[in-house]
Structure formats: structure tokens, C-alpha cells
């Protein structure tokens, strides 16, 4: 050991450094802080244009930034040649309306029962726009529909006030045998009344709107109206002087008299005048399932009664809401166009169909079908069904891209 080695060379002994005055501290000066902020901003990586678009507009990362290549319009969605006739196309549409319930749906037993009952209660109505989306020639569709209607195989349904033009929901088609099967499955109607109704349905014109009074008496009409199989025209009810007179006399005597209302239980229907009090007093509206015409046979005299299907309004509201929602999903893209697979994922709630229960794009989060709008509001309505509805109504265009399959754009 050399004699020149001292404790100053040891790493355990350090000498305090001399501190500089505060005026010479570069780190504490405002100019140094500004320089550090500027260098940090320069070193921060910039976001790409795709990330800026996706984060600012809420679009998916898979959404293309540029327009899709258009290599030709696809006029029909039917790949099977057997669907080029009207009757096979209508059968296909009615049997492929809803998706099957997933095994792990995240729904309670009550919700599952409600969903299945709604699906089962849907009437066998097919919109004319949906048929046009599957059959290539619109002219041949109209000719075949007219021929089948004259032969008594199908019936046309017209619902006023459901829009105009090709995108309206006012024009529908029903197979007569499906209609008869629904009538046979009704438990609230006696067999004798069912037979009269089916005979009158087959004897009326091809367009559902003819008066059923010639084939059915007033008592049977009352029973059928409670079941939703016939409907009375409210305009005819208002314009008929005899019906209004009987309505006012019944209101003064039984329905909305002060004596009967005062004796009714609080919260009951009789406490507000009974069923159909608004219509009986001269008001309008067809919201009630059983109004004055169903409770008083005298009011049916002079009313025009036509055949109808139960839950027609619920069916039309479901189709209208599904069309609007698909157009909304398409509007989330930059140019209101998207590949077909991307639009399908959006309709399904961005869940993967390969997983037993839906899994979102984030691998750490699980999306159950019960949380998606497809199952909450539309009861499992198929994407292909809604796509054909919008295509036949002229609200969208389907085209071939050549690179990512088919593309969809709003019109």
C-alpha cells in the first residue's frame, strides 16, 4: 500500500460543491424553462392524419379515409336464382327476418321471453321495397304481383300516412295462406267466425280495403275487431251522421255522464269516461285497441270495415326505425359510404360473431348482445334484412369495390 493514498481518494468521502448564486442558476430562470418546454414539444410525436380524423370525429380506425373505388352498381342482393319470383322471395323474407338468440346473450329470462314473443307476433307482411331489392326487374315484379293478386294468392296492404314515394312503408304484400294460418292460430275468435272471415277474405278484392260487412255480421265484426283482424275507418265514423248521433246519445246516457264517473273506482278506465270516450265525443285517433265501435254494436252500422293483420303498426315502426338507424351508422363514415363488412359490424354493435359472447375491439372489454341496439330496440333484426329494405326503398346504393368486397353508400 503506497504512503501517498489518503482518505480523499475514497468514494465514501465526498466534498460539498460550491453553490452558485441564484442569478447564475440556469435551471431556475424563466428563459431556461421556456427552452425546455419548446424542446419537449419538438420531441413529442405528432399524430397521423388517420388518428386525428378518428379521434376528432369518433369514427372507427377501419373506416377508410379516401373514397372507395366504384366498379359497378349492384342492383339486386339475391344470389339464388330461385328468389327471382315473387312468392319464393316473400317466403324467404318472412323466414329470414330475425337472428337466432346467442347462447350467452346477457339477457334475463323475462327479457328473452319478451323478445321471442315479439318475434312470434310479427305479421307476415313483406314490403314492396324489399321484394324489389331481391328481384332484378321491377316491371316483372309488378306484373307478377298483379297476376297473383287477381288469382287470390296474395293481398296488397295500403297503410296511409306512412310516407310517399319508393321509400314509403304504405305498400305491403301478404300471402293469403299465411294470413289464413294466423287467423287459425287465434284463440279469441270462435271457429264459426273464423270461417266467415276466411271466406270473406278470399271473396274480397285483391287490395285489402274492401268492406267486409257483406260477409260478416256486426256481432262477428266486434269479435274480430277485438282480435285485431278487422279495422273500421275513423273518417267514415266521423262523417256518418247516424253514428255520431248514437255516440253522443251514448255519451250522455252511459259513457261520460257525471253520475257514472263519480261512482267509478279511482284509477280505472270508467273513471275517465270508459273505453273510447274521446272517439265517442267526436274526437279522433286510432290508438286504442278497443274503442266505442268494439263495445257498442250500434256504432258499427254505417262504418266501413276492412280486413287487417294484428301488430301491423308495430311491424311498420320496427322497419322504419331500423332503416333510420342503418342510415345513421352509414353517416358516421367520412363520405357516407363504408365497406359492407364494416357496416355489418356496426349494426351488430361492434361485436365479434366468432366469440361465444360478443367481444369488442378492445381485448379487455366484453360487449354482450343484450347491451347492443340490435337486440335492445330491434329484437335481433338481421342486417341483411335491413340492408334490403334500404336498398329497395332507394335510400342506399350497393356497389363493388374490387378490393374490400361490396361497399354501401347513402343516396
Amino acid at each position: 500500500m503506497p504512503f501517498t493514498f489518503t482518505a480523499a481518494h475514497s468514494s465514501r468521502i465526498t466534498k460539498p460543491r460550491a453553490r452558485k448564486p441564484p442569478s447564475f442558476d440556469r435551471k431556475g430562470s424563466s428563459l431556461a424553462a421556456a427552452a425546455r418546454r419548446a424542446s419537449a414539444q419538438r420531441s413529442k410525436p405528432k399524430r397521423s392524419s388517420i388518428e386525428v380524423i378518428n379521434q376528432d370525429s369518433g369514427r372507427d380506425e377501419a373506416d377508410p379515409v379516401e373514397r372507395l373505388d366504384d366498379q359497378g352498381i349492384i342492383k339486386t342482393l339475391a344470389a339464388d336464382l330461385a328468389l327471382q319470383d315473387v312468392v319464393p322471395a316473400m317466403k324467404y323474407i318472412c323466414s329470414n327476418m330475425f337472428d337466432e338468440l346467442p347462447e350467452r346473450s346477457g339477457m334475463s329470462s323475462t327479457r328473452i321471453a319478451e323478445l321471442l314473443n315479439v318475434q312470434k307476433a310479427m305479421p307476415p307482411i313483406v314490403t314492396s321495397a324489399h321484394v324489389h331489392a331481391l328481384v332484378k326487374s321491377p316491371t316483372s315484379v309488378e306484373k307478377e304481383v298483379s297476376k297473383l293478386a287477381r288469382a287470390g294468392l296474395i293481398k296488397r296492404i295500403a297503410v296511409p300516412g306512412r310516407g310517399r314515394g319508393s321509400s314509403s312503408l304504405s305498400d305491403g304484400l301478404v300471402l293469403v295462406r299465411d294470413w289464413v294460418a294466423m287467423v287459425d292460430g287465434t284463440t279469441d275468435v270462435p271457429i264459426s267466425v273464423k270461417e266467415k272471415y276466411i271466406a270473406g277474405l278470399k271473396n274480397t278484392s285483391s287490395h285489402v280495403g274492401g268492406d267486409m260487412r257483406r260477409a260478416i255480421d256486426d256481432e262477428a265484426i266486434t269479435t274480430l275487431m277485438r282480435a285485431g283482424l278487422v279495422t273500421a275507418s275513423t273518417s267514415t265514423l266521423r262523417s256518418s251522421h247516424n253514428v255520431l248521433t248514437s255516440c253522443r246519445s251514448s255519451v250522455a246516457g252511459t259513457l261520460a255522464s257525471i253520475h257514472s264517473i263519480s261512482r267509478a273506482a279511482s284509477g280505472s278506465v270508467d273513471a275517465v269516461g270508459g273505453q273510447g270516450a274521446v272517439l265517442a265525443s267526436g274526437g279522433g285517433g286510432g290508438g286504442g285497441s278497443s274503442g266505442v265501435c268494439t263495445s257498442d254494436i250500434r256504432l258499427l252500422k254505417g262504418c266501413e270495415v276492412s280486413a287487417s293483420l294484428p301488430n301491423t303498426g308495430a311491424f311498420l315502426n320496427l322497419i322504419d326505425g331500423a332503416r333510420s338507424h342503418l342510415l345513421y351508422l352509414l353517416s358516421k363514415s367520412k363520405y357516407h359510404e363504408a365497406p359492407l363488412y364494416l357496416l355489418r359490424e356496426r349494426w351488430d354493435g361492434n361485436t365479434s360473431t366468432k366469440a361465444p359472447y360478443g367481444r369488442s375491439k378492445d381485448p379487455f372489454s366484453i360487449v354482450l348482445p343484450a347491451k347492443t341496439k340490435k337486440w335492445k330496440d330491434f329484437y335481433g333484426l338481421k342486417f341483411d334484412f335491413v340492408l334490403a329494405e334500404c336498398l329497395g326503398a332507394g335510400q342506399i346504393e350497393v356497389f363493388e369495390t374490387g378490393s374490400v368486397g361490396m361497399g354501401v353508400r347513402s343516396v
Side-chain angles (χ1 to χ4, degrees):
M1 179 175 179
F3 292 100
T4 59
F5 184 84
T6 60
H9 295 279
S10 177
S11 60
R12 291 178 295 176
I13 300 176
T14 58
K15 294 182 179 180
R17 295 182 180 181
R19 296 183 178 180
K20 296 182 180 180
S23 59
F24 296 99
D25 189 6
R26 295 178 58 87
K27 295 183 179 180
S29 62
S30 59
L31 295 177
R36 287 195 299 271
R37 287 195 298 268
S39 60
Q41 291 179 358
R42 287 194 299 268
S43 62
K44 184 178 180 180
K46 294 184 179 180
R47 296 185 300 174
S48 62
S49 59
I50 298 178
E51 293 178 350
V52 172
I53 292 175
N54 293 336
Q55 294 183 10
D56 295 343
S57 60
R59 298 189 179 96
D60 298 333
E61 295 181 359
D63 192 13
V65 180
E66 300 180 354
R67 284 186 176 273
L68 298 174
D69 295 334
D70 188 355
Q71 296 186 0
I73 299 296
I74 299 176
K75 297 182 179 180
T76 178
L77 297 177
D80 192 358
L81 296 177
L83 299 179
Q84 296 303 312
D85 295 330
V86 174
V87 175
M90 293 177 63
K91 293 179 181 179
Y92 174 81
I93 293 170
C94 292
S95 60
N96 293 272
M97 185 176 180
F98 296 101
D99 275 328
E100 294 183 359
L101 191 66
E103 295 181 0
R104 299 287 299 273
S105 60
M107 305 180 192
S108 62
S109 59
T110 305
R111 174 58 182 171
I112 292 175
E114 179 187 358
L115 188 143
L116 295 178
N117 288 332
V118 169
Q119 294 181 0
K120 185 179 179 181
M122 283 293 144
I125 301 176
V126 177
T127 60
S128 299
H130 202 143
V131 178
H132 284 290
L134 298 182
V135 185
K136 293 182 179 180
S137 176
T139 305
S140 62
V141 171
E142 294 299 329
K143 290 182 178 179
E144 189 174 358
V145 166
S146 300
K147 182 179 179 180
L148 294 172
R150 287 193 301 267
L153 297 178
I154 65 173
K155 295 287 185 181
R156 301 188 74 118
I157 293 180
V159 181
R162 288 288 179 171
R164 296 179 180 179
S166 59
S167 61
S168 66
L169 292 168
S170 59
D171 192 10
L173 304 173
V174 184
L175 290 172
V176 175
R177 60 180 178 182
D178 292 342
W179 199 326
V180 172
M182 176 172 282
V183 174
D184 291 334
T186 305
T187 58
D188 300 334
V189 181
I191 298 177
S192 59
V193 178
K194 291 181 182 179
E195 294 175 353
K196 294 180 182 179
Y197 179 83
I198 294 173
L201 182 66
K202 294 181 179 180
N203 293 333
T204 53
S205 60
S206 60
H207 194 282
V208 176
D211 194 2
M212 297 283 292
R213 186 177 298 280
R214 293 173 294 180
I216 308 173
D217 54 0
D218 293 341
E219 295 182 0
I221 287 176
T222 305
T223 305
L224 292 171
M225 191 172 293
R226 289 196 181 101
L229 295 174
V230 295
T231 181
S233 176
T234 307
S235 59
T236 308
L237 183 63
R238 290 190 189 134
S239 61
S240 177
H241 176 72
N242 296 330
V243 175
L244 286 177
T245 304
S246 61
C247 286
R248 294 192 181 99
S249 63
S250 62
V251 167
T254 57
L255 286 178
S257 62
I258 299 177
H259 180 71
S260 60
I261 290 176
S262 61
R263 291 179 176 271
S266 177
S268 62
V269 179
D270 296 333
V272 294
Q275 294 181 351
V278 177
L279 183 62
S281 59
S289 60
S290 59
V292 179
C293 288
T294 62
S295 61
D296 195 347
I297 301 177
R298 295 176 301 172
L299 302 181
L300 292 173
K301 296 180 180 180
C303 295
E304 182 180 351
V305 179
S306 58
S308 65
L309 282 169
N311 302 317
T312 301
F315 170 79
L316 297 178
N317 291 334
L318 179 66
I319 300 302
D320 189 19
R323 287 183 182 181
S324 302
H325 183 60
L326 187 68
L327 295 178
Y328 165 73
L329 295 178
L330 199 57
S331 66
K332 295 174 67 176
S333 299
K334 184 177 181 181
Y335 299 103
H336 290 199
E337 63 180 16
L340 185 64
Y341 74 90
L342 180 60
L343 190 60
R344 187 188 300 272
E345 289 181 1
R346 291 176 181 175
W347 176 263
D348 293 335
N350 288 331
T351 58
S352 175
T353 57
K354 297 181 180 179
Y357 47 88
R359 183 174 292 275
S360 66
K361 294 180 180 179
D362 187 359
F364 299 101
S365 64
I366 296 176
V367 179
L368 294 174
K371 302 296 183 180
T372 60
K373 193 175 183 65
K374 170 184 176 180
W375 292 98
K376 286 196 302 183
D377 297 341
F378 302 122
Y379 305 99
L381 202 63
K382 280 189 174 182
F383 170 76
D384 296 331
F385 185 93
V386 185
L387 183 71
E389 284 285 340
C390 294
L391 178 62
Q395 296 174 333
I396 61 172
E397 287 182 351
V398 181
F399 57 95
E400 185 64 41
T401 62
S403 56
V404 292
M406 292 189 293
V408 185
R409 72 164 66 97
S410 61
V411 179

